[in-house]
Every structure is written in C-alpha cells, then in structure tokens.
Amino acid sequence: MDYKKWLIIIVVALIVIINAFYIIDESQQVIITQFGKPIGDGIGNAGLHIKIPFIQKVHFFEKRTLEWDGTPQQIPTSDKRYIWLDTFARWQINNPLKFYESTRTETAAHSRLDDIISGTTRDVISSNKLIDIVRDTNRDMSFTLEYEESTLEEIKKEIVTVGRSNIADTIQSLSTPQIEKYGIKLVDIQIKRVNYVNEVREKVYDRMISERKKIAARYRSEGEGRAAEILGKMRRELDEIESEAYRTAQEIKGKADAEAIQVYANAYNKDPDFYEFQKTLETYKQTINNKNTLIMGTDSEYYKFLKKIDK
Amino acid sequence: MDKFEEIKNTKFPNIPKKKILRWVIIIAIAVFIITGLYTVNPEEVGVIQRFGKYLKTTDPGLHFKIPFGIDKLTKVPIKQIKKEEFGFRTIQAGVKSKFSSRDYSEESLMLTGDTNIADVEWIVQYRIKNPYNYLFVIRNIRSTLRSVSEFVVRQIVGDRSVDEVIILDREEIAFQSIDMMQKVLDEYEAGIEIITIKLQNVNPPDKVKPAFNEVNSAKQEKEKITNDAWQKYNQVIPEAKGKAKRTIEEAEGYAVNRVNRAQGDARKFIEVWNNYRTAKSVTKKRMYLETLQEVLPKVEKVYLVDEDQKGILPLLDLGREK
C-alpha cells in the first residue's frame, strides 16, 4: 500500500474520533443538537463524553451563577418621592434546552432580564412608600443630639409596613414566573442603591442643614440660659450675703446702742440735776469760741463781784 | 513498518532501529513526567480537573498530573486576603497612601433610616475558603462580592439614623454587615469567607458638613459661656462673703466701742458725782468758774450789761465784726 494513502486514512480517523469526543468543564452544561434539533434536555455532568461525530453538535452554556447588574432607574414612590433605584440579580441557566431555544446567548438573556426586572421593579417601587424602600425593620433608632420634638415625632410617624428585603423578595417573586420560560432561574434580586434624584437631594441637604442649625442654635441658647441662670444665682446669693451681713451688723449695733443707753440712764438717773449742770458746762466749752460775742448780766455768778462784794 | 524503515534508511543510516525506539520511549517518559509535575505555593491550593471534571484539590508542594490537556490545574490562593474598597480607591498603598481623586460618591452616598443622607466609605477583606465553590459555583466572584457588600451595608445603614451611622453605631454597623454578607454569600455558595468589614470615613455629605461642624462649635460655645458664668460666680461670691464678714466685724467693733464708751462715761459721771455729793455747793461753783475760765478767753468780746439797763441790744452793732 502507498504510505500516503495510509496517512490520509489515519488523519481522517483521528478527526472523526476527536469529533466524537467532547469535554464538559465543571462550570459548563451542554445541549446536543442533531441537524439543528435538540436531543434530550441537556447534560450537566462534567467530564469526557461521546457523540455521533459531525451529525451531533455541542452547545456550551454556563452552569455557574451569573450576575445581572441593572441600570439605575428613576422611579416615584407611592408617596411621590423621586428616587434612583439600582438593583442587581443572580441568575442561572437552569434549563439549557429552553434557554437554547428561546435565548441562546447571555447577552440576549441580559436584555430579557433588563426588560422584566425593570418592569416589575417599577411596579413594586411605585406602589410602596419611600420609608419601606429605605428601611427594613422598625428598629428603634437613637439620636445623639437633641432634635426638636416635632422632628423626632415626624421620624417616628414613619412606620415600616413592608421593608426593604420584602420589597426585593416581591420583585423577585413577580419576575421569576416571567423569566422562567427562558430557562432562567432567578436566584435573588437585591436593591443595591437607593438615592434621591438631584433636586430632592438638594432639598434633603437643606433640611439636614436647617436641622443641624436648629440644634446648634439650641445649644447656644442653652448656653446663654445656663449662664443667665448662674449669674442670677450669683445675684441672689450676693443680695442674700450682703443683706444678711447688714442685718447682723445692725442688730449688733442696735444691741450695743441699747446697752449704752441703759448704762447712761443708770448712771445719770442717780442725779439728773447734776448731770444737767455738768453736761451744760461741758457744752459751753464746746460751743463757745472766738466767733461768739457774749453779753452777760452783771448779776451773773461770775460778774456779780464787779458790782459789789457781799459782806 | 515500511514507512519506518524508509525513514531509518534515509535519515539515520548508522543507528540501529532498536536503539532509536528506546530513546524515543525514554524521551517520551521524560516529557510526560516533566510536563506533568507542578508546584503548589504555600498560600495556594491546586484544583485538578480531569477532562473538565473536578478531580481533587491538592495542598502546597510538588505534585503530578496527567499532561497533554487531560488534567487541568487551577491554582487558587486560599490564604491570600483580598481587599475591596468602597467610596474610595487606593492608587498606591504606603506610608502615605495615595488615593484616587475621582468621585466615588455614587458608591458612598446612602439614605439613612431618618431619610437623611450619609457618606460612608468602607472596606471588605475576604479570602477564598472553598476553592471548588469559588471556581465552579459563581462566575466573577469579585463583582458579586461588591454588589452584595453595597446592598448589605446600605440595608443596614437604612435602618439607622444619620446620628447612629456617623457617630454612635459605627462598629455595630460593621459587625452586622460582616454577618449579613457572610450569610448572603453562603446562600450563594460562593466559597468566600468575609474576614472583616471596616467603616472608614463616615461623614455627612460635603454640603451638610459645615452645619454638622457648627453643632460641634455651638456645643463648645455653650460650654464656654457656662464656664465663663461660673468663673464670674466664683470670683464674686467669695469676695462678697468676705465683705459681709468685714461688715459684721465692723459692727462688732462699733458695739464694743459704744458700750465701752458708755460705761466709761457712766463711770466718770459716777466718780465725779460721788465727789460732788460731799461738797455740793463748792464743787458746783468751782466747776462753773473753771468752765468760764476756759471759755471766756476764747470769746472776742464780752459785753457786761447791768440787769437794770433796758434796750441795750439795739445799740450794739452785732454784725460789725463779721
């Protein structure tokens, strides 16, 4: 035999054999088609497999969980607050046959997920209140700074009836039946980001600023009030101290005066005439001086001898 | 065999057929062994797939696998701790790390439970705990981890007041985030272990920051005003107390003085009176005269008028000397 002929036979045989085998990676699953028509439901077992060469064709799909990251949407909540909402989802190709028939590529799957999840998200969000989207539970929040009572009451009035994770679950359960027919299983949907639209955000900033300013003003006036209180206390104590001292002093003085009067009276009462005489003489000494002109009668005790001397 | 002979005849005419075969086998075995050997570094494990199917996970060290694409090796660094940053990016870590100047506020701005906005930056440290899951359960684990972290931190922050987020509850938020992220990732069977989550800069949004600072300065101002008032109080009251004591002391002094003087006067009077009593008339006269002796020299003029003389007063020009 001609060795060239052998060579051709070997090569052809090799190609056929190679084509009969296929490898499924641990992260993959496959669909076998025969003349374009799917055979069976798909194979998920990793390893080496055999097929009819050339007649059967292998289509590979991801077996792992895949991600879908939505584009942020602007949605009004049921209490008319405009927010940006960004969701993400995990999904799997759980029915490769359906997936092959309806969707084929991951890009196409993403566009289906976009359509369905965007729609359900919009429906669910617009029928819920902002507080339910932001908060998950009615956990009791605490506040460091003394808010106005009214502000606190307003915050406490906002009661969570649904909650964030329930909203995410609702979006998932509404989306799941719609996406199932594409051979896709939604593992979960989560709300990644919630943000105010710009104009609302500015307003919230303004509100936060005015809230803080109120607190600051309160601190200041509390300081002033406290200071006034202290100064008032000081004034009162001052008055108390001063008046008490005055009272005590006056009492002491009064007692002394009374005692003095008593002492004088006791002494002078022994001979009021003599007291009068003595005191009058003393008074002369003190009241008569060089500014006085004295007119005296010749019959006065002093000058009476100028007139005559009694014998 | 013809073919072989032909090759032998044309290319290697001097080497015997058997020898060639032996060398071919030796080289083939050598190639098989050399290409089949692989090393797994201490921080990694090696995952071996045979014909795509997971076969085993090998520990660090030297190992053997079947080459020629039959066994496939993937090294997974399970001991390496990886880090993801949210709200900021380190460009170059170092003594003074450089951070990206880009704005990542879309990551860091989030709504709080009292419908305010907080700016939260955080990091997540994680490692691969299950190489099988890491490779075969989720595709693109890094971006999944980022999404999960954003959703978890936001959900936890969403249940807290802005005060709690910024001031009070930072550690609690981090702890809860770790638990919740781990739970979600375990549900995904991601094969990831969250080592830690740390909140970095947690601030009010830039625009609101000055107002937050104002609160702080107002708080300090309050303290200062109060302290100033206390200071004044502490200056004035002790002084007043001192003055009060002085007033009382002075009053006591006055009292002693007054009583002593009265007693002195009284005693003096009694002494004098006692003497006077024994010689009333003489003493009286003497006292009178002594007084006049003292008084009269001081007086400028003394008019002596006879008691019978009437109407003298008009004749005196009393105001003349003044």
Side-chain angles (χ1 to χ4, degrees):
Chain A
M1 250 186 181
D2 187 16
Y3 81 90
K4 277 184 184 168
K5 195 174 154 198
W6 272 110
L7 201 67
I8 290 163
I9 290 167
I10 289 169
V11 168
V12 168
L14 264 174
I15 291 171
V16 170
I17 290 165
I18 287 173
N19 198 271
F21 287 103
Y22 62 95
I23 290 171
I24 303 178
D25 191 86
E26 198 70 47
S27 62
Q28 291 173 323
Q29 48 190 338
V30 299
I31 282 286
I32 305 293
T33 54
Q34 191 165 317
F35 302 121
K37 199 174 160 252
I39 308 278
D41 284 343
I43 302 160
N45 295 335
L48 191 62
H49 296 262
I50 289 182
K51 65 178 175 73
I52 305 168
F54 302 112
I55 291 161
Q56 292 185 338
K57 220 178 146 193
V58 188
H59 303 268
F60 293 93
F61 300 104
E62 261 297 343
K63 198 168 72 179
R64 294 179 290 186
T65 304
L66 303 173
E67 61 177 341
W68 172 86
D69 199 344
T71 34
Q73 315 178 60
Q74 192 180 322
I75 310 170
T77 61
S78 71
D79 47 349
K80 301 282 168 282
R81 314 280 273 275
Y82 279 82
I83 53 170
W84 285 105
L85 197 93
D86 192 358
T87 49
F88 76 94
R90 309 283 113 207
W91 61 284
Q92 287 163 351
I93 302 166
N94 74 331
N95 188 333
L97 182 60
K98 271 191 194 167
F99 187 79
Y100 172 73
E101 284 168 347
S102 63
T103 316
R104 296 224 173 178
T105 63
E106 280 178 29
T107 323
H110 276 149
S111 117
R112 302 229 191 284
L113 286 162
D114 281 343
D115 295 346
I116 291 165
I117 298 175
S118 298
T120 49
T121 304
R122 187 168 286 275
D123 292 346
V124 173
I125 294 300
S126 58
S127 60
N128 275 293
K129 292 208 291 194
L130 176 69
I131 196 73
D132 280 312
I133 298 153
V134 173
R135 301 197 57 178
D136 192 36
T137 62
N138 273 315
R139 181 184 165 276
D140 217 359
M141 295 187 287
S142 49
F143 300 86
T144 37
L145 307 161
E146 302 87 337
Y147 280 78
E148 297 279 314
E149 273 303 312
S150 57
T151 317
L152 281 179
E153 262 167 35
E154 221 160 87
I155 291 167
K156 285 197 175 127
K157 246 195 281 171
E158 301 263 33
I159 286 168
V160 180
T161 48
V162 186
R164 189 179 188 134
S165 47
N166 284 333
I167 286 179
D169 289 348
T170 312
I171 298 173
Q172 187 190 351
S173 60
L174 286 177
S175 305
T176 300
Q178 299 182 50
I179 204 80
E180 252 171 6
K181 58 175 177 263
Y182 301 110
I184 292 171
K185 181 193 166 195
L186 264 182
V187 178
D188 71 340
I189 292 182
Q190 301 294 356
I191 298 168
K192 188 158 86 173
R193 294 176 189 162
V194 181
N195 266 319
Y196 293 117
V197 299
N198 279 353
E199 312 92 78
V200 179
R201 181 183 294 182
E202 289 302 315
K203 270 183 208 150
V204 170
Y205 284 166
D206 289 345
R207 192 194 68 209
M208 288 175 82
I209 289 169
S210 73
E211 239 164 44
R212 293 295 133 173
K213 292 220 172 206
K214 258 191 235 167
I215 294 166
R218 172 176 291 201
Y219 271 131
R220 277 199 206 95
S221 67
E222 267 175 9
E224 304 281 359
R226 187 82 186 102
E229 197 182 304
I230 293 163
L231 293 182
K233 175 182 156 77
M234 183 184 89
R235 188 68 256 167
R236 181 179 58 75
E237 281 180 26
L238 205 59
D239 283 347
E240 218 170 82
I241 291 165
E242 279 173 354
S243 63
E244 238 165 56
Y246 179 78
R247 194 189 67 204
T248 313
Q250 289 304 94
E251 271 170 16
I252 293 167
K253 282 183 188 170
K255 228 180 253 170
D257 283 346
E259 197 182 331
I261 287 167
Q262 189 70 42
V263 169
Y264 280 124
N266 282 346
Y268 299 153
N269 269 337
K270 290 188 194 301
D271 188 343
D273 288 339
F274 178 67
Y275 170 71
E276 191 187 348
F277 172 70
Q278 192 201 28
K279 192 73 192 175
T280 309
L281 288 185
E282 245 173 61
T283 315
Y284 289 162
K285 282 184 198 167
Q286 279 159 20
T287 55
I288 296 169
N289 55 35
N290 61 347
K291 287 192 186 89
N292 298 101
T293 300
L294 208 59
I295 300 169
M296 295 183 82
T298 45
D299 58 341
S300 67
E301 270 306 306
Y302 185 64
Y303 288 108
K304 65 182 180 189
F305 296 111
L306 280 183
K307 219 173 172 184
K308 63 170 201 267
I309 297 169
D310 289 334
K311 288 277 162 154
Chain B
M1 282 296 119
D2 292 349
K3 199 174 71 179
F4 235 111
E5 249 159 19
E6 281 235 0
I7 292 164
K8 187 201 110 184
N9 291 337
T10 48
K11 287 188 179 168
F12 314 102
N14 301 321
I15 300 164
K17 189 168 109 183
K18 271 190 180 173
K19 222 177 177 179
I20 291 172
L21 201 64
R22 205 161 66 211
W23 274 108
V24 167
I25 290 165
I26 288 170
I27 288 168
I29 289 170
V31 167
F32 184 78
I33 289 170
I34 288 166
T35 54
L37 282 176
Y38 66 94
T39 334
V40 175
N41 290 327
E43 78 276 9
E44 341 168 288
V45 292
V47 173
I48 299 293
Q49 286 166 270
R50 179 161 296 166
F51 291 119
K53 188 175 170 58
Y54 171 79
L55 186 70
K56 63 182 173 183
T57 304
T58 54
D59 291 330
L62 190 63
H63 298 276
F64 183 76
K65 66 178 173 69
I66 304 171
F68 315 126
I70 293 166
D71 282 0
K72 187 180 148 208
L73 165 73
T74 315
K75 290 176 180 177
V76 181
I78 57 161
K79 289 201 179 129
Q80 202 182 78
I81 292 172
K82 299 176 185 218
K83 187 171 96 170
E84 286 296 325
E85 298 171 328
F86 299 84
F88 70 106
R89 297 288 183 277
T90 311
I91 298 175
Q92 201 184 359
V95 179
K96 199 164 188 258
S97 294
K98 276 188 194 158
F99 298 101
S100 170
S101 56
R102 236 196 80 193
D103 180 33
Y104 290 97
S105 60
E106 81 278 7
E107 269 175 17
S108 60
L109 286 184
M110 50 188 80
L111 300 197
T112 57
D114 46 357
T115 61
N116 286 326
I117 300 168
D119 192 347
V120 182
E121 292 175 358
W122 76 99
I123 57 150
V124 175
Q125 287 185 335
Y126 65 100
R127 70 172 191 94
I128 299 157
K129 71 172 172 187
N130 185 331
Y132 177 88
N133 287 7
Y134 173 72
L135 289 176
F136 306 124
V137 175
I138 289 185
R139 190 174 71 183
N140 202 351
I141 201 89
R142 184 167 166 259
S143 91
T144 298
L145 186 116
R146 288 194 68 86
S147 296
V148 169
S149 184
E150 282 205 36
F151 129 67
V152 163
V153 169
R154 277 190 165 74
Q155 176 149 330
I156 288 165
V157 163
D159 253 346
R160 290 188 151 70
S161 71
V162 70
D163 285 344
E164 288 177 307
V165 174
I166 292 171
I167 305 154
L168 296 171
D169 251 5
R170 295 181 48 155
E171 290 196 355
E172 182 63 25
I173 291 170
F175 283 138
Q176 279 198 17
S177 301
I178 295 173
D179 286 352
M180 190 167 159
M181 253 193 99
Q182 190 64 64
K183 220 181 98 203
V184 173
L185 290 173
D186 286 350
E187 272 167 27
Y188 291 169
E189 295 179 352
I192 293 290
E193 184 193 350
I194 301 295
I195 311 265
T196 188
I197 294 177
K198 283 203 183 92
L199 300 195
Q200 309 287 97
N201 290 326
V202 182
N203 285 314
D206 283 341
K207 212 184 151 194
V208 186
K209 245 186 225 167
F212 268 78
N213 290 339
E214 202 182 314
V215 170
N216 281 339
S217 67
K219 214 192 268 181
Q220 276 161 14
E221 217 172 289
K222 172 186 168 179
E223 236 148 71
K224 191 184 171 294
I225 295 172
T226 316
N227 286 345
D228 284 353
W230 275 121
Q231 199 186 338
K232 192 163 181 202
Y233 174 92
N234 287 334
Q235 255 170 14
V236 169
I237 293 301
E239 193 190 323
K241 278 184 180 158
K243 272 188 186 160
K245 264 193 193 136
R246 188 178 135 189
T247 308
I248 291 165
E249 291 293 336
E250 277 173 0
E252 304 266 14
Y254 168 87
V256 171
N257 184 26
R258 187 92 173 89
V259 172
N260 281 346
R261 272 173 197 282
Q263 280 170 349
D265 286 348
R267 199 145 304 151
K268 184 187 162 200
F269 177 78
I270 288 166
E271 287 297 323
V272 174
W273 176 67
N274 278 340
N275 287 329
Y276 159 79
R277 263 199 307 190
T278 54
K280 267 188 184 171
S281 167
V282 166
T283 311
K284 215 170 181 176
K285 265 192 183 136
R286 181 184 55 80
M287 283 172 73
Y288 172 72
L289 290 174
E290 271 175 11
T291 305
L292 278 188
Q293 192 181 0
E294 204 178 302
V295 167
L296 282 180
K298 286 196 223 157
V299 178
E300 196 183 41
K301 277 188 181 122
V302 177
Y303 293 90
L304 212 55
V305 180
D306 193 84
E307 62 208 67
D308 302 331
Q309 205 71 43
K310 307 276 191 244
I312 188 146
L313 280 176
L315 296 175
L316 293 170
D317 189 358
L318 289 172
R320 189 166 38 109
E321 299 301 320
K322 305 270 158 84

